[in-house]
């Protein structure tokens, strides 16, 4: 059974930092065949992509809203992807989800095959 376990959310003041983790297990294919994306969904808003990493070569892409503040990375030995979030803003408040796809980063949400349960990030002003 494939599992993506997202963790690391919490309450932080504006300007603060958090690091989210996404631990993967149960993949039929090798971990480095997957792209892992972080997404977020704020109350009343659609789910949006935040960052993605191709675990095979570490190439990344980011949403414009987080570029320069968030960093996605992968530890393939641990089957874990991280999202380091610095300079947090109240607009970053959302449930953050990680998801996996065998397709390249940049594909739309329906092409992500596996999803974690989400972790809540709340940024106070």
């Amino acid at each position: 059974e494939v599992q993506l376990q997202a963790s690391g959310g919490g309450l932080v003041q504006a300007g603060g930092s958090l690091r989210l983790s996404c631990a993967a297990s149960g993949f039929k294919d090798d971990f480095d065949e997957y792209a892992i994306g972080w997404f977020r969904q704020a109350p009343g808003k659609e789910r949006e992509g935040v960052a993605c990493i191709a675990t095979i070569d570490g190439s990344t892409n980011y949403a414009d809203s987080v570029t320069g503040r968030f960093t996605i990375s992968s530890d393939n030995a641990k089957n874990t992807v991280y999202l380091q979030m610095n300079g947090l803003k109240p607009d970053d408040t959302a449930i953050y989800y990680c998801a996996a796809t065998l397709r390249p980063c940049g594909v739309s949400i329906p092409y992500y095959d596996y999803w974690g349960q989400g972790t809540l990030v709340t940024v106070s002003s």
Side-chain angles (χ1 to χ4, degrees):
E1 178 187 2
V2 173
Q3 288 191 331
L4 294 174
Q5 183 70 40
S7 61
L11 173 64
V12 64
Q13 289 188 331
S17 298
L18 283 173
R19 188 177 81 154
L20 306 184
S21 298
C22 175
S25 62
F27 282 148
K28 179 182 66 174
D29 303 282
D30 292 338
F31 180 72
D32 64 6
E33 295 189 47
Y34 289 85
I36 306 294
W38 282 99
F39 298 82
R40 65 186 181 186
Q41 188 164 18
K45 294 188 177 181
E46 292 186 354
R47 191 169 297 190
E48 63 177 357
V50 174
C52 182
I53 186 166
T55 57
I56 195 166
D57 63 7
S59 58
T60 59
N61 59 24
Y62 297 91
D64 289 344
S65 59
V66 306
T67 296
R69 299 188 298 123
F70 291 10
T71 302
I72 189 170
S73 62
S74 175
D75 184 339
N76 289 9
K78 295 181 178 179
N79 286 9
T80 300
V81 168
Y82 304 97
L83 185 68
Q84 178 67 43
M85 305 187 295
N86 299 328
L88 283 161
K89 305 175 182 179
D91 283 349
D92 295 318
T93 295
I95 298 175
Y96 283 70
Y97 301 89
C98 60
T101 179
L102 286 170
R103 298 173 185 261
C105 282
V107 297
S108 57
I109 286 175
Y111 289 105
Y112 281 81
D113 302 297
Y114 306 106
W115 289 83
Q117 84 290 358
T119 184
L120 177 62
V121 172
T122 303
V123 184
S124 63
S125 57

